[in-house]
Amino acid sequence: MSGENKTGEDKTHTDPAGKEKASSNFIKHIIEDDLKTDKYDGRVVTRFPPEPNGYLHIGHAKSICLNFGIANQYQGTCHLRFDDTNPLKESVEYVDAIKEDVRWLGFDWTKHLYYTSDYFDRLYECAIALIEKGKAYVDSLTAEEIRDFRGTLNEPGKESPYRNRTVTENLALFEKMAKGELEDGSCVLRAKIDMASSNIIMRDPTLYRIRRKDHHRTGNKWCIYPMYDYAHCLSDSFEKITHSICTLEFVNNRELYDWILDALEVYHPQQIEFARLNLSYTILSKRRLIQLVEEKHVSGWDDPRMPTLSGLRRRGYTAAAIRKFCDMIGVARRDSMVDISLLEHCLREELNVSAPRVMGVLHPLKIVIENYPEDQSEMVEAINNPEDESMGTRKIPFSRVIYIERDDFMENPPKKFYRLGPGREVRLRYAYFITCHDVIKDESGEIIELRCTYDPETRGGNTPPDGRKVKATLHWVSEKHSINAEVRLYDHLFSVENPMQSDDFTEHLNPDSLVALGNCKLEPGLKNAMPGVHYQFERLGYFFSDPLDSTPGNPVFNRVSTLRDTWAKIKKKM
Ligand code: ATP
Ligand code: MG
């Protein structure tokens, strides 16, 4: 622990960014303009379209809050659509987890739950329509040849020798593809656009490929699967989405999105791009998060260090704190990196007022109070949350032998260390002033016990009649009343701000991201803490009884965050 004379008060519950009101953004301006001109008959329909190939992370939360938030604000609807076009990587496990996470975040898709796989028939018919219009062809080049023919940013691509197959030939071949009469990889369906386009995406993009793999919803009905760009814009169109909001990396795909919808002359939503969330010390990419899980760098998708919604939830983040964070970061058109301390700040703001305060000692150092009778104990009154009187008080036991935090004592304290040392007096919160007289060590020289006296005139931790002041207030627990518990301290999963700075991001994993302390001493009332409850451990941070490993009688606590609010400090300096 660092910092001096900490009293446990968390004075950071201000609004340092000054933007806690519902923020407006450029997308809302577009929607308001469209509502004014009646572009979509006054409708607002958005969608959140995850691919069920992993668990949702906090980046997805930004998109969920944006899409569902807009629908709520403009009395519209937001669809949850599983973009399940790649059976190699998708599964029902992911579908279920995504639904649970969206609900947990506080959003409701009502009856608007869709799957791109439900559109496979319609997508197939659209492909036939494109072929009939002469706007798509079956190409028999190999994948490698297609890549070679594509050209580069500086050079135009080359047309495939199969590009001018007749409509009849293309229809027949496409049907064979769908019927499973052709080998995987032997051919693809491509849009016939422009191999010389300055936008490489427009150089005859692939629309369908053969992939003999059972799908988690359509089984073995299909052996051809549509590509993302093709399926996505059409799914939006089928669902009569008005504003198709996506992240900036799709800005070049918009031309293709528009081309497909125009070529088929179907309903045309508007694609709008915004900057994805990047968070310091964090990786937000399902592909890389899968790697962390598969290589066992973490215990699973819900490891409390993971930036997944299930990890954050298990760590003790609340849905409200995450929504607040998404609101504060706003929505912009340019990529940037958000400081992870802002996320922590949002959580502290909430827990500062809602979490009851308790005392727990993580690294116990025993103190014997020599002038306190051996067989005596008493109850002292503690305030549950000074931010909210209605949370009341509780009684905690005090006795002759107590524990304090090991680093609240120094045998040779340096100048600015105001806590306990030989001959020094400090306050035990809610109890008494104590003065240290003796330091007891084991053979190796390690301090194993302190001998102190207390001043009975300071009961409740109050200033004695002679007006004596102390410079530090410590938390403590009574030895014979305390319970043992495991407490897990978490730090950033990565030790550098941008783990993607090198090829192998796993090089930057923080070896100290989890420290499990097996012998913590907590006040007795925590014995029966239910799983999934928040507390502030005075002076130490916010803690959450682990929803999986904690049981009443045997609590295990995760530290959600420390008390120090670096974000509040950053904002003060600005
Ligand atoms: P990842 O890169 O993590 O695999 P993805 O974009 O492939 O993410 P999808 O399942 O396709 O994952 O994402 C669903 C939606 O969430 C998309 O609309 C996508 O734009 C949005 N999204 C994904 N990551 C972020 C992020 N970091 N910030 C904001 N929105 C995001
Ligand atoms: Mg994606």
Side-chain angles (χ1 to χ4, degrees):
M1 242 169 30
S2 58
E4 298 308 320
N5 199 12
K6 283 189 286 182
T7 58
E9 265 94 18
D10 180 0
K11 293 202 167 63
T12 56
H13 49 280
T14 48
D15 175 17
K19 24 167 155 163
E20 297 193 3
K21 51 198 172 305
S23 42
S24 188
N25 62 53
F26 78 94
I27 297 179
K28 291 183 182 173
H29 294 156
I30 294 175
I31 291 175
E32 281 163 21
D33 284 347
D34 290 347
L35 284 172
K36 269 186 220 137
T37 59
D38 227 15
K39 186 168 171 191
Y40 298 101
D41 311 322
R43 292 180 310 120
V44 174
V45 185
T46 56
R47 83 286 171 274
F48 173 64
E51 182 180 354
N53 63 350
Y55 282 58
L56 297 183
H57 52 62
I58 179 102
H60 294 113
K62 176 175 179 178
S63 175
I64 295 168
C65 290
L66 178 62
N67 281 294
F68 280 93
I70 283 173
N72 289 343
Q73 184 172 346
Y74 298 100
Q75 286 85 48
T77 43
C78 180
H79 298 183
L80 174 61
R81 182 199 315 141
F82 287 99
D83 186 9
D84 54 351
T85 55
N86 182 0
L88 291 185
K89 295 194 170 161
E90 297 161 3
S91 77
V92 180
E93 176 199 347
Y94 296 138
V95 169
D96 293 342
I98 289 171
K99 285 196 213 160
E100 185 186 349
D101 286 348
V102 174
R103 258 191 229 111
W104 175 75
L105 250 196
F107 297 103
D108 184 359
W109 53 86
T110 62
K111 58 182 185 195
H112 298 287
L113 174 64
Y114 303 102
Y115 295 84
T116 303
S117 55
D118 285 346
Y119 306 137
F120 282 169
D121 285 303
R122 288 173 84 178
L123 291 167
Y124 181 73
E125 283 157 23
C126 288
I128 288 174
L130 281 178
I131 295 172
E132 284 170 344
K133 287 170 184 272
K135 291 180 192 258
Y137 63 98
V138 174
D139 195 356
S140 304
L141 290 181
T142 64
E144 207 186 331
E145 286 166 330
I146 289 180
R147 221 174 301 125
D148 289 344
F149 277 51
R150 188 169 297 134
T152 64
L153 280 177
N154 309 317
E155 282 168 61
K158 261 194 319 199
E159 292 188 357
S160 161
Y162 304 101
R163 197 174 195 263
N164 292 316
R165 278 174 164 156
T166 62
V167 169
T168 322
E169 209 179 341
N170 282 319
L171 285 173
L173 278 170
F174 188 52
E175 194 181 337
K176 280 187 161 191
M177 279 174 68
K179 281 190 169 156
E181 291 170 16
L182 300 172
E183 290 298 303
D184 282 31
S186 62
C187 54
V188 292
L189 183 73
R190 296 178 74 175
K192 192 169 181 176
I193 309 180
D194 177 8
M195 288 307 290
S197 172
S198 56
N199 180 357
I200 294 183
I201 290 172
M202 297 299 279
R203 295 183 187 168
D204 291 9
T206 300
L207 305 179
Y208 266 96
R209 69 256 201 249
I210 308 171
R211 188 159 272 181
R212 275 184 183 67
K213 173 87 175 124
D214 283 4
H215 186 280
H216 61 101
R217 299 194 79 240
T218 57
N220 64 4
K221 178 172 176 197
W222 295 93
C223 64
I224 56 169
Y225 291 98
M227 300 299 288
Y228 170 85
D229 280 321
Y230 174 72
H232 194 79
C233 60
L234 284 169
S235 304
D236 280 350
S237 174
F238 298 157
E239 292 174 21
K240 298 277 186 294
I241 301 296
T242 56
H243 301 85
S244 173
I245 301 167
C246 64
T247 40
L248 276 176
E249 60 283 15
F250 293 101
V251 83
N252 291 332
N253 303 57
R254 177 159 25 102
E255 198 180 345
L256 177 55
Y257 187 106
D258 292 341
W259 184 92
I260 293 170
L261 298 179
D262 289 345
L264 287 163
E265 298 169 81
V266 291
Y267 171 84
H268 200 141
Q270 176 181 0
Q271 176 176 307
I272 306 170
E273 306 86 18
F274 71 101
R276 65 190 288 116
L277 170 66
N278 299 306
L279 197 57
S280 61
Y281 299 98
T282 308
I283 274 184
L284 296 181
S285 146
K286 276 185 282 177
R287 189 161 57 83
R288 298 200 170 81
L289 295 177
I290 287 176
Q291 192 183 336
L292 292 176
V293 173
E294 284 178 350
E295 294 176 4
K296 302 206 182 326
H297 297 294
V298 293
S299 63
W301 285 101
D302 67 348
D303 185 301
R305 294 166 294 178
M306 288 282 270
T308 50
L309 295 182
S310 51
L312 291 166
R313 173 163 72 235
R314 180 160 174 203
R315 167 93 162 252
Y317 271 88
T318 63
I322 293 174
R323 290 195 304 263
K324 172 74 168 291
F325 169 76
C326 292
D327 190 42
M328 280 180 80
I329 56 177
V331 177
R333 269 190 244 241
R334 223 170 340 132
D335 271 320
S336 64
M337 170 92 82
V338 174
D339 195 316
I340 195 168
S341 63
L342 177 60
L343 178 61
E344 292 160 3
H345 166 79
C346 292
L347 182 80
R348 285 189 190 97
E349 288 239 304
E350 180 185 341
L351 296 185
N352 182 49
V353 286
S354 67
R357 300 188 187 186
V358 294
M359 292 205 279
V361 175
L362 303 185
H363 300 95
L365 174 62
K366 185 171 165 179
I367 291 186
V368 177
I369 300 168
E370 291 180 319
N371 59 340
Y372 196 92
E374 213 147 320
D375 50 359
Q376 188 176 313
S377 63
E378 65 188 290
M379 300 303 272
V380 298
E381 188 166 39
I383 296 169
N384 287 333
N385 190 334
E387 300 288 327
D388 181 357
E389 264 181 35
S390 73
M391 291 172 73
T393 60
R394 70 189 182 288
K395 300 271 198 224
I396 45 180
F398 181 81
S399 65
R400 177 181 162 91
V401 183
I402 61 162
Y403 291 111
I404 64 162
E405 210 65 62
R406 195 158 269 278
D407 64 5
D408 277 338
F409 174 83
M410 283 186 86
E411 196 174 12
N412 299 300
K415 214 163 173 212
K416 284 195 168 163
F417 186 91
Y418 298 116
R419 291 169 275 163
L420 200 58
R424 288 196 179 193
E425 186 169 45
V426 295
R427 172 190 289 111
L428 295 178
R429 190 153 174 83
Y430 303 124
Y432 292 101
F433 285 16
I434 56 166
T435 305
C436 175
H437 297 287
D438 273 313
V439 180
I440 297 175
K441 300 179 180 173
D442 65 12
E443 303 94 69
S444 68
E446 197 191 335
I447 300 171
I448 50 169
E449 188 180 308
L450 302 177
R451 293 273 159 165
C452 295
T453 54
Y454 84 115
D455 178 355
E457 296 208 273
T458 56
R459 187 159 204 278
N462 293 316
T463 309
D466 67 8
R468 230 162 59 239
K469 293 256 187 321
V470 286
K471 281 190 168 162
T473 299
L474 310 185
H475 62 276
W476 55 274
V477 292
S478 159
E479 180 192 47
K480 69 178 168 204
H481 303 94
S482 68
I483 60 154
N484 279 325
E486 179 180 334
V487 175
R488 298 166 183 168
L489 305 181
Y490 296 102
D491 195 357
H492 302 143
L493 186 51
F494 293 95
S495 46
V496 295
E497 244 182 61
N498 179 9
M500 294 309 294
Q501 68 194 33
S502 52
D503 294 342
D504 180 8
F505 68 98
T506 60
E507 277 174 22
H508 300 296
L509 281 161
N510 174 6
D512 302 318
S513 58
L514 166 60
V515 176
L517 303 172
N519 187 32
C520 303
K521 308 286 183 184
L522 311 181
E523 65 173 74
L526 288 175
K527 181 160 178 61
N528 291 315
M530 297 301 286
V533 180
H534 291 96
Y535 297 92
Q536 183 190 122
F537 287 10
E538 299 241 8
R539 301 172 68 229
L540 297 174
Y542 294 104
F543 292 75
F544 186 60
S545 42
D546 190 276
L548 296 185
D549 296 342
S550 198
T551 51
N554 248 331
V556 175
F557 285 96
N558 298 325
R559 179 154 71 185
V560 208
S561 81
T562 56
L563 291 178
R564 274 194 302 156
D565 195 330
T566 41
W567 173 257
K569 280 194 193 126
I570 293 168
K571 291 313 281 185
K572 229 181 246 166
K573 279 193 205 139
M574 282 166 73

